[in-house]
Amino acid sequence: MAVHKDLSLYPIENAAAQVYVCVGWIDPRLHYPKGIVDHNLMRRIGVLCKSPARRTRGWHPCTLCREYPVRELIGMQTIELGDGEIDVAGSDKVYACPTLIYHYILRHGYRPPAEFVDAVRALKI
């Protein structure tokens, strides 16, 4: 899986004049922010992961613990993560994330950027 610094430009074709930035494309060799993420935010991210905006080519393992396939209980359903991407529309950009972001937050303490957290909280879910 590709590695991108949080809030760096996301390389997407046909973005239709919208700015896409990366969130959650982490790697064990590089520092990533850690912190607590509240249950409501996790629920919202989980809902997005159930219906990815884009599917990727193949399944990706967790880059931190090497779990493969990555399975997480989201709501009342076990979901396999690592084969798609989610989009979160903010006020002036779209945040593009791997579905593995849910696992990274839950199991590895990853803390997404505050502006991404605000955008997720603003979603009508």
Side-chain angles (χ1 to χ4, degrees):
M1 187 172 79
V3 177
H4 302 285
K5 183 179 176 186
D6 279 348
L7 305 179
S8 64
L9 285 177
Y10 178 79
I12 188 169
E13 296 177 21
N14 302 323
Q18 289 201 304
V19 174
Y20 281 71
V21 295
C22 302
V23 171
W25 300 85
I26 62 178
D27 183 278
R29 298 166 293 178
L30 304 174
H31 169 77
Y32 62 91
K34 293 184 178 182
I36 296 171
V37 173
D38 66 75
H39 175 73
N40 186 44
L41 186 73
M42 288 300 295
R43 182 189 62 76
R44 291 168 167 272
I45 293 171
V47 168
L48 295 171
C49 288
K50 287 181 179 182
S51 300
R54 285 173 299 288
R55 294 286 183 182
T56 57
R57 293 181 178 164
W59 294 85
H60 299 278
C62 173
T63 58
L64 303 172
C65 66
R66 307 308 299 167
E67 182 177 340
Y68 180 81
V70 176
R71 293 184 179 104
E72 295 292 353
L73 183 63
I74 299 176
M76 300 296 290
Q77 185 178 10
T78 299
I79 301 294
E80 289 189 351
L81 304 172
D83 73 330
E85 300 174 3
I86 62 171
D87 289 342
V88 176
S91 59
D92 62 345
K93 63 188 77 145
V94 177
Y95 302 92
C97 317
T99 57
L100 284 168
I101 191 171
Y102 187 90
H103 173 82
Y104 294 153
I105 295 168
L106 183 67
R107 304 288 178 205
H108 302 293
Y110 167 65
R111 173 73 180 172
E115 65 183 72
F116 169 80
V117 169
D118 292 343
V120 172
R121 286 190 176 129
L123 293 174
K124 305 284 191 242
I125 295 179

